[in-house]
Amino acid sequence: MAEFLSLHDAVARYVEDGATVAMEGFTHLIPFAAGHEVIRQKKRDLTLIRMTPDLIYDQLIGAGCAKKVIFSWGGNPGVGSLHRLRDAVEKGWPRRIEILEHSHAAMACAFEAGAAGLPLAVLRGYVGSELPNVNDQIKFIECPFTGERLAAVPAVRPDVSIVHAQKADRKGNVLVEGIVGVQKEAVLAAARSIVTVEEIVEDMTAEPDYHPNACIIPGWAIDAIAVAEKGALPSYAHGYYPRNNRFYKEWDAIARDRDAFTAWIEENVMNAGGNA
Amino acid sequence: MAEFLSLHDAVARYVEDGATVAMEGFTHLIPFAAGHEVIRQKKRDLTLIRMTPDLIYDQLIGAGCAKKVIFSWGGNPGVGSLHRLRDAVEKGWPRRIEILEHSHAAMACAFEAGAAGLPLAVLRGYVGSELPNVNDQIKFIECPFTGERLAAVPAVRPDVSIVHAQKADRKGNVLVEGIVGVQKEAVLAAARSIVTVEEIVEDMTAEPDYHPNACIIPGWAIDAIAVAEKGALPSYAHGYYPRNNRFYKEWDAIARDRDAFTAWIEENVMNAGGNA
Amino acid sequence: MSIEYTSSEMMTVTAARALENGMTCFVGIGLPSEAANLARLTHAPDVVLIYESGTLQTKPDVLPLSIGDGELAESALTTVAVPEMFRYWLQGGKISVGFLGTAQIDRYANLNTTLIGDYHDPKVRLPGGGGAPEIATNAGEVFITLKHSKRAFVKDVDFVTTLGFGRDGKGRDGVPNIGKGPTRVITDLCVMKPDPETKELTVVSLHPGVSREDVIEATGWEIRFAGELESTPEPSAKELDILRELKARTERQHAGE
Amino acid sequence: MSIEYTSSEMMTVTAARALENGMTCFVGIGLPSEAANLARLTHAPDVVLIYESGTLQTKPDVLPLSIGDGELAESALTTVAVPEMFRYWLQGGKISVGFLGTAQIDRYANLNTTLIGDYHDPKVRLPGGGGAPEIATNAGEVFITLKHSKRAFVKDVDFVTTLGFGRDGKGRDGVPNIGKGPTRVITDLCVMKPDPETKELTVVSLHPGVSREDVIEATGWEIRFAGELESTPEPSAKELDILRELKARTERQHAGE
């Protein structure tokens, strides 16, 4: 049952050192505010799962929170590399991290399987790719009906998933709208979940834009809800604010340099209280 | 690419004798008008797939269209048995039909797998049930990661799927709203699809109740669209008309008796032109 | 007691009381649906009712005739596709209790909704499994409610559509990721629970005015009784009022077109 | 010709022309997205553009910077969850053409977006596979567009992230339910197609003003040329106008916060 907590308390209670954490949001609704709180609380040895690690994981990796990253596309979309991810992988700064990489199709299916309570996802995937050579979590099974060889990957089952959404109501029901990504799957697949939202409304079903098939996650399937206004910036929230594309471009220069990065984190995360 | 046809022409073109046909609609939006057209055109030897064969399949079976039914729950919801289904299974009238039965979970997963282009669906199902003893399409596989025994069923891949929906626009994009069942999966899983709709609107995305995550099937994923006003009656169409519960109850008496049934079909289907 | 009530009402009220506020209940149509909605309208306003048609957290004003009545979608928090319902919500482990009816039940609480007689030459063809086979194994626990009769309560079901505890009571032993199974069976005569060891259904509570003999006579095997046999509490006036209003509303609505 | 254009524009226009009206195109970010939207704004108004973020049939007014920009959802017919996108729409066989970019490509059109150097001690770590591995096998066919250079066009990719025709050209032989694979590669110098037999990429058309030597010099293997080498038609004034307007609109929008 969703409990309304401050972002500080939600992260303090549910994100433990060494935990497997999925922060999702496919380009849209990326939980930056929550990620910054994880950095401020100096969480360590996290296994970070995310289809598209972008700036938020670059920041967590550069800040030394991660020991392992499971992903399928790690870049600054439309801009270039994640320099902190590369520095960690290529040079081991601030620590060496392990990576386990998939394709998007496999990750998406693995989240789906996690939500569906299955141990594995089966897909027609990885044909001819060399990813199975470097990821021992990719296996192949034979269809008992057709004999076709299909790929299998383990379901994603994080200790805690963190997502950002447009709004929650007083009962803790959460609306995700627009590009919904794998957020619902991430929440349902996880043992615990934190959802940050732009605002709290009285009753979701009484909202003027209520729709009978809207993507609503019921409050009883969520552990903690925290209000984090503009909590997805520099990513965006459909219906609330646009993506700060300029910051995404600026990040390239900040992240290229260890000192510039460290200064940025100090100023904009560590010393920003709960406001970053 | 969706072509706008009369219901007669759509059924004549895409439903061939001997075909495997899925008419879906989970209690809601059941394509009765299309089913009646199939009866009028005296289609024969159909393999009929449907999670919940209710009155529509009772009518098709009684009219002699079916040679096989694949289903997971065959009854008159809240009322009792499907007497035509029982008469065919128990007494072979008007012809003996073969049945292949699943659980809802397996059928739902099989439709999902069909839509997903996979040959099989994997689920945690049929544990302790004797259904696998009488359905040789239920197999078991071992998870390569955990060793857990999981059920596998073949994907549903009909020759043609027929569903009813609220509306289509001029480009053939179709909105399904409310209880969406497995309609989208049925359409995507099939080689061909016919969608009957209550009405045609200009542009789906310009409708006043448009929603960014609405269940819309694009026109290019559909073969034929036919207008069939009240085409789901005695089932219902969310936002258009309610279920005719009284008819569902009356059906029990009609279907109990072969002659009463035959007379009903003559009067209400065969002699009703395109209006039943 | 001066309150009058029928044995059906006694059954429904007792079944309703089994549900607790905050449970997420996957609801079967018919008696389970009646009991679950009564619970929601009385002591458990926050019980979450889920129907296999995809309607999540629904609050129908009248009882649905079918598992997918419009009322269910209109009063739901949201409605999801049926594959999602079975995959994410049921198999995904979000359901605390599955509430089922059945045509036949045996001493190990196995359920038969497939057929009477031989599978390939049935005496009576029943509707089939529907959601039950996976509800019974993927929900945290299962409540069952049906009328007591020798035809329904048989020593061995003709067909195990849905697992209770298997033909030998050991059907869940060692199976990973499986729910507790049937934890109580509520009839118009009594409440039964599986014996903690053997899993055989045992009467733990008799409804007021019902004798051991009544139960023995309506059960197709040598039914056992718990050492400390309880007497089921009677329905309250409020419960009966609400139940009767609910049924009257339902009847009025279903009589119309 | 009096129209002036850059080699990048030539590439984009040529890539755009590869798309036909009515195709359903799974669009990669960057150059493919630019070309696909140019096609939609010129000769193929009904080309269906699909982005892996779940946006179905989208018509962005400006080019997205990321694969999931708000513009994509706002101009889409509908937006589905990412698992559905990969399962129902891509793997389900609804995509006629996947349009991809890449960091490295080899003579058998295998793509590398994973890393340069050794996997466990990379010289350069690239973003990874993303949607490409399954787009390349589940779409009906694949178009690839990237700038021509020796660094990009290598004899053998350091890592096969995404199957072209395998390290020996036979990677699709006998594989059930697999698309045709790369059918053309469009660069700023030329158009290449796989040889029907060997599957080795072969230049079939040179862009105006480009010589064989230019291509040879920019390719990391002994590139072959088709017997009947065509000259790629030049961009039209209308295509260039629309492309430039599109890029200008995009730049203005992305410069703002």
Side-chain angles (χ1 to χ4, degrees):
Chain A
M1 194 65 208
E3 201 176 341
F4 290 89
L5 296 176
S6 71
L7 181 51
H8 174 277
D9 291 356
V11 168
R13 187 183 303 177
Y14 292 118
V15 183
E16 291 181 9
D17 284 354
T20 297
V21 184
M23 299 188 199
E24 268 301 339
F26 201 89
T27 317
H28 177 218
L29 290 174
I30 301 176
F32 272 93
H36 289 175
E37 185 58 36
V38 171
I39 293 173
R40 267 194 298 278
Q41 292 190 22
K42 298 196 166 74
K43 301 292 180 184
R44 288 294 177 267
D45 296 324
L46 303 178
T47 293
L48 294 175
I49 305 179
R50 188 173 156 75
M51 290 185 67
T52 54
D54 76 343
L55 275 49
I56 182 64
Y57 275 22
D58 214 29
Q59 293 169 0
L60 282 153
I61 292 164
C65 302
K67 76 164 181 200
K68 182 173 180 178
V69 182
I70 301 176
F71 72 104
S72 41
W73 192 90
N76 182 344
V79 179
S81 292
L82 294 178
H83 300 291
R84 294 296 98 226
L85 170 64
R86 281 183 56 175
D87 204 14
V89 171
E90 296 169 16
K91 310 261 168 60
W93 190 92
R95 57 171 290 182
R96 192 159 291 281
I97 60 168
E98 195 184 332
I99 60 171
L100 192 71
E101 61 186 308
H102 280 286
S103 67
H104 275 352
M107 286 280 285
C109 290
F111 269 107
E112 204 269 352
L118 287 173
L120 85 166
V122 173
L123 68 153
R124 184 175 290 121
Y126 290 121
V127 177
S129 171
E130 290 175 0
L131 283 166
N133 302 351
V134 296
N135 179 341
D136 61 9
Q137 296 290 288
I138 302 167
K139 302 198 174 188
F140 293 89
I141 64 165
E142 197 178 275
C143 173
F145 303 102
T146 62
E148 185 177 349
R149 185 173 181 261
L150 296 162
V153 294
V156 168
R157 306 297 301 259
D159 295 320
V160 55
S161 283
I162 304 177
V163 304
H164 186 71
Q166 275 96 347
K167 52 190 172 187
D169 70 13
R170 301 265 168 225
K171 297 268 190 183
N173 304 308
V174 163
L175 176 77
V176 189
E177 197 173 89
I179 293 178
V180 295
V182 293
Q183 279 99 305
K184 181 161 148 180
E185 286 76 13
V187 167
L188 297 183
R192 301 289 183 182
S193 57
I194 301 172
V195 181
T196 58
V197 293
E198 289 295 324
E199 59 170 334
I200 309 278
V201 299
E202 193 56 38
D203 174 2
M204 201 61 82
T205 63
E207 287 288 286
D209 59 351
Y210 173 77
H211 183 272
N213 304 117
C215 179
I216 296 176
I217 309 173
W220 44 268
I222 295 167
D223 291 285
I225 292 175
V227 174
E229 232 179 288
K230 299 228 157 60
L233 271 181
S235 156
Y236 72 105
H238 181 101
Y240 287 75
Y241 46 85
R243 192 166 189 267
N244 186 339
N245 283 322
R246 195 162 68 187
F247 182 80
Y248 271 83
K249 290 177 176 171
E250 287 168 0
W251 181 253
D252 193 69
I254 296 165
R256 262 178 206 281
D257 183 82
R258 291 177 186 172
D259 292 340
F261 166 79
T262 307
W264 188 91
I265 288 282
E266 275 303 312
E267 186 178 337
N268 296 283
V269 180
M270 300 312 284
N271 298 327
N275 304 317
Chain B
M1 195 62 206
E3 201 176 338
F4 290 89
L5 297 176
S6 70
L7 181 50
H8 174 278
D9 291 356
V11 168
R13 188 184 301 176
Y14 292 119
V15 182
E16 293 180 10
D17 284 354
T20 296
V21 184
M23 300 188 197
E24 269 299 343
F26 201 88
T27 317
H28 177 217
L29 290 173
I30 300 176
F32 272 93
H36 289 175
E37 186 58 36
V38 171
I39 293 173
R40 265 193 299 279
Q41 294 189 21
K42 298 197 167 71
K43 301 294 181 184
R44 288 295 175 267
D45 296 324
L46 303 178
T47 292
L48 294 175
I49 306 179
R50 186 174 158 76
M51 290 185 68
T52 54
D54 76 345
L55 274 49
I56 183 67
Y57 274 22
D58 212 29
Q59 293 169 1
L60 283 153
I61 291 164
C65 302
K67 75 164 183 200
K68 183 173 180 178
V69 182
I70 302 176
F71 72 104
S72 41
W73 193 90
N76 182 345
V79 179
S81 291
L82 294 178
H83 300 292
R84 296 296 95 227
L85 171 63
R86 280 182 57 175
D87 204 13
V89 171
E90 296 168 18
K91 311 259 168 63
W93 191 92
R95 58 171 291 181
R96 192 158 292 283
I97 60 167
E98 195 185 330
I99 60 170
L100 192 71
E101 60 184 309
H102 280 286
S103 66
H104 275 354
M107 287 277 290
C109 290
F111 270 106
E112 205 270 349
L118 287 174
L120 85 166
V122 174
L123 69 152
R124 184 175 289 122
Y126 290 121
V127 177
S129 171
E130 290 174 359
L131 283 166
N133 302 352
V134 296
N135 179 342
D136 62 8
Q137 296 291 287
I138 303 168
K139 301 198 174 187
F140 292 89
I141 64 165
E142 196 179 276
C143 173
F145 303 103
T146 62
E148 185 178 350
R149 186 173 179 261
L150 296 162
V153 292
V156 168
R157 305 298 299 261
D159 295 321
V160 54
S161 283
I162 305 177
V163 304
H164 186 71
Q166 275 95 347
K167 52 191 173 187
D169 70 13
R170 300 264 168 227
K171 298 268 189 184
N173 304 307
V174 163
L175 175 77
V176 189
E177 197 174 88
I179 292 179
V180 295
V182 294
Q183 278 99 305
K184 181 162 150 181
E185 286 76 12
V187 168
L188 298 183
R192 299 291 182 182
S193 56
I194 301 171
V195 181
T196 58
V197 293
E198 290 296 324
E199 60 170 333
I200 308 279
V201 299
E202 194 56 39
D203 174 3
M204 201 64 79
T205 63
E207 287 288 287
D209 59 351
Y210 175 77
H211 183 273
N213 303 117
C215 178
I216 296 175
I217 308 174
W220 43 269
I222 295 168
D223 291 284
I225 292 176
V227 175
E229 232 180 285
K230 298 228 158 58
L233 271 180
S235 155
Y236 72 105
H238 181 102
Y240 288 74
Y241 46 86
R243 193 168 189 265
N244 186 341
N245 283 322
R246 195 162 67 185
F247 182 80
Y248 271 84
K249 289 178 178 171
E250 287 167 359
W251 181 253
D252 194 67
I254 297 165
R256 260 179 208 281
D257 183 80
R258 290 178 186 170
D259 293 340
F261 167 78
T262 305
W264 189 92
I265 289 283
E266 275 304 311
E267 186 180 336
N268 295 282
V269 179
M270 300 312 284
N271 299 326
N275 304 318
Chain C
M1 282 294 283
S2 60
I3 307 177
E4 293 199 8
Y5 53 88
T6 66
S7 60
S8 288
E9 288 172 337
M10 181 70 209
M11 170 168 62
T12 301
V13 168
T14 306
R17 286 176 177 172
L19 283 177
E20 293 164 29
N21 221 4
M23 280 180 162
T24 50
C25 178
F26 206 101
V27 187
I29 206 66
L31 294 175
S33 173
E34 192 174 309
N37 280 289
L38 179 61
R40 183 177 60 77
L41 294 169
T42 54
H43 66 281
D46 287 330
V47 67
V48 174
L49 304 189
I50 293 176
Y51 288 74
E52 62 195 17
S53 54
T55 50
L56 270 177
Q57 202 168 331
T58 182
K59 302 179 173 188
D61 191 49
V62 301
L63 295 173
L65 185 66
S66 84
I67 203 82
D69 275 17
E71 179 80 9
L72 293 173
E74 278 157 27
S75 66
L77 173 63
T78 187
T79 298
V80 301
V82 166
E84 175 179 327
M85 176 52 77
F86 280 97
R87 290 174 72 78
Y88 289 6
W89 300 95
L90 179 60
Q91 187 178 263
K94 305 299 179 193
I95 307 297
S96 45
V97 57
F99 213 143
L100 298 176
T102 185
Q104 262 191 350
I105 181 170
D106 69 15
R107 65 195 192 284
Y108 290 121
N110 301 299
L111 310 183
N112 174 17
T113 53
T114 302
L115 83 174
I116 307 299
D118 175 67
Y119 190 82
H120 297 287
D121 185 18
K123 254 181 273 174
V124 183
R125 177 64 229 189
L126 299 167
E134 283 75 20
I135 295 172
T137 53
N138 288 329
E141 64 184 315
V142 179
F143 299 160
I144 297 160
T145 182
L146 75 160
K147 287 208 177 198
H148 222 124
S149 79
K150 260 205 160 87
R151 261 180 51 195
F153 283 77
V154 297
K155 189 171 181 219
D156 296 288
V157 287
D158 290 16
F159 189 89
V160 178
T161 313
T162 297
L163 179 69
F165 297 98
R167 295 218 177 257
D168 58 359
K170 302 184 200 306
R172 287 172 191 263
D173 297 0
V175 178
N177 301 306
I178 194 166
K180 277 190 282 189
T183 52
R184 68 184 81 187
V185 179
I186 300 121
T187 79
D188 49 343
L189 301 181
C190 65
V191 178
M192 292 181 263
K193 293 190 176 181
D195 178 273
E197 293 299 312
T198 66
K199 304 300 183 190
E200 188 174 314
L201 284 178
T202 307
V203 178
V204 297
S205 181
L206 287 175
H207 296 345
V210 174
S211 68
R212 286 175 182 243
E213 288 64 38
D214 294 337
V215 175
I216 289 169
E217 207 156 292
T219 307
W221 72 87
E222 281 185 38
I223 181 77
R224 293 168 196 231
F225 294 83
E228 290 183 30
L229 197 57
E230 292 180 12
S231 174
T232 319
E234 293 198 307
S236 71
K238 191 183 160 206
E239 285 167 323
L240 287 171
D241 277 356
I242 292 175
L243 174 59
R244 288 165 188 174
E245 277 166 34
L246 175 63
K247 295 193 78 164
R249 274 202 306 278
T250 300
E251 215 153 290
R252 277 196 303 278
Q253 168 143 337
H254 291 176
E257 286 228 345
Chain D
M1 284 295 286
S2 60
I3 306 176
E4 292 199 9
Y5 53 87
T6 66
S7 60
S8 288
E9 288 171 335
M10 180 69 208
M11 168 167 63
T12 301
V13 168
T14 307
R17 286 175 176 173
L19 283 177
E20 293 165 27
N21 221 5
M23 280 180 160
T24 50
C25 178
F26 206 101
V27 187
I29 207 66
L31 293 176
S33 173
E34 193 175 310
N37 279 290
L38 179 60
R40 183 176 60 79
L41 294 170
T42 54
H43 66 283
D46 288 329
V47 69
V48 173
L49 305 189
I50 292 176
Y51 288 74
E52 64 195 15
S53 53
T55 50
L56 270 177
Q57 201 168 331
T58 181
K59 301 178 173 188
D61 190 50
V62 301
L63 296 173
L65 186 67
S66 82
I67 203 82
D69 274 19
E71 179 81 7
L72 294 174
E74 278 156 29
S75 66
L77 173 62
T78 188
T79 298
V80 301
V82 166
E84 175 177 328
M85 177 53 76
F86 280 96
R87 291 174 72 78
Y88 290 6
W89 300 95
L90 178 59
Q91 187 178 265
K94 306 299 179 193
I95 307 297
S96 46
V97 57
F99 213 142
L100 298 175
T102 185
Q104 260 191 350
I105 181 169
D106 69 16
R107 67 195 190 284
Y108 290 120
N110 300 299
L111 309 183
N112 174 17
T113 53
T114 302
L115 81 174
I116 308 298
D118 175 69
Y119 190 83
H120 297 286
D121 186 19
K123 253 181 269 171
V124 182
R125 176 65 229 191
L126 300 167
E134 282 77 20
I135 294 172
T137 52
N138 289 329
E141 64 183 317
V142 178
F143 299 161
I144 297 160
T145 181
L146 74 161
K147 288 208 174 198
H148 223 125
S149 79
K150 261 207 161 85
R151 259 180 52 195
F153 284 76
V154 296
K155 189 171 181 222
D156 296 287
V157 287
D158 290 16
F159 188 90
V160 179
T161 313
T162 298
L163 179 69
F165 297 97
R167 295 218 178 257
D168 58 359
K170 302 185 201 304
R172 288 173 190 262
D173 296 0
V175 178
N177 301 307
I178 195 167
K180 278 191 282 188
T183 51
R184 66 184 83 188
V185 178
I186 301 121
T187 79
D188 50 343
L189 300 181
C190 64
V191 178
M192 292 181 263
K193 293 189 175 181
D195 179 273
E197 292 299 312
T198 66
K199 305 298 183 189
E200 187 172 315
L201 284 177
T202 307
V203 178
V204 295
S205 180
L206 287 175
H207 297 345
V210 174
S211 67
R212 287 174 183 245
E213 288 64 39
D214 293 336
V215 175
I216 291 169
E217 207 156 292
T219 307
W221 72 88
E222 281 185 39
I223 181 76
R224 291 168 197 229
F225 294 83
E228 290 183 31
L229 198 57
E230 292 180 12
S231 175
T232 320
E234 292 200 307
S236 71
K238 191 183 160 206
E239 285 168 322
L240 287 170
D241 277 357
I242 291 176
L243 174 60
R244 286 165 189 174
E245 277 166 33
L246 175 63
K247 297 193 76 162
R249 274 202 306 280
T250 300
E251 214 153 291
R252 278 197 303 277
Q253 169 143 337
H254 291 177
E257 286 226 345

